[in-house]
Amino acid sequence: MPYIRRGPDGQIESLHRHGGEGMEFVPTGHAELQSFVGHGSSPGGASDFGRLDAEFVRVIEDVIDTLIVKNVINITDLPGEAQAKLFARKTFRERVSQSSLRLYSDSKFNTVIDDTNFGGLP
């Protein structure tokens, strides 16, 4: 039931529930419509912004962890809801990392080899 009006450049300029003169019907899943309402994957679109937000949340979390480790703040200085969210994220990340593929693990082959092991050969 979405109707759109296009601007002179052919881009969607407005979205309407009911059709009218100069409007065009488009299916709900139409790529241009999804992009217009912020659900598309166009460069610079809402999905890029969401990805950047998620990455920034991780940065903030790391900053908080650093401040706590350096004794600049205590975890108890944060509001209870913030503490709960930080603990939930940390627990989730630990759970995910425990079930992830480990390419580098401790083994008997993790010693450093230097040139003395080969009789001084380069």
Side-chain angles (χ1 to χ4, degrees):
M1 289 80 27
Y3 292 87
I4 60 169
R5 183 182 310 273
R6 294 187 183 273
D9 60 355
Q11 298 296 315
I12 298 175
E13 105 181 338
S14 61
L15 178 63
H16 305 268
R17 289 186 183 151
H18 306 288
E21 187 176 332
M23 293 188 195
E24 167 187 348
F25 172 80
V26 292
T28 305
H30 190 268
E32 278 184 286
L33 176 62
Q34 292 299 312
S35 180
F36 181 76
V37 297
H39 296 289
S41 58
S42 62
S47 64
D48 286 341
F49 193 69
R51 179 186 52 80
L52 290 172
D53 270 357
E55 291 172 358
F56 190 68
V57 166
R58 179 61 194 264
V59 169
I60 296 295
E61 188 179 352
D62 290 344
V63 168
I64 292 170
D65 285 345
T66 301
L67 292 173
I68 291 170
V69 167
K70 292 185 178 263
N71 292 319
V72 174
I73 64 171
N74 293 316
I75 189 73
T76 55
D77 294 338
L78 300 172
E81 289 180 9
Q83 291 177 39
K85 289 176 184 177
L86 283 169
F87 287 131
R89 284 184 56 86
K90 189 174 292 285
T91 302
F92 179 78
R93 275 203 331 260
E94 288 171 359
R95 222 177 31 245
V96 168
S97 70
Q98 289 173 356
S99 63
S100 64
L101 176 64
R102 287 191 174 78
L103 298 176
Y104 302 103
S105 63
D106 293 335
S107 71
K108 63 182 180 177
F109 301 110
N110 66 352
T111 58
V112 176
I113 299 173
D114 61 20
D115 62 352
T116 60
N117 294 355
F118 296 104
L121 296 175

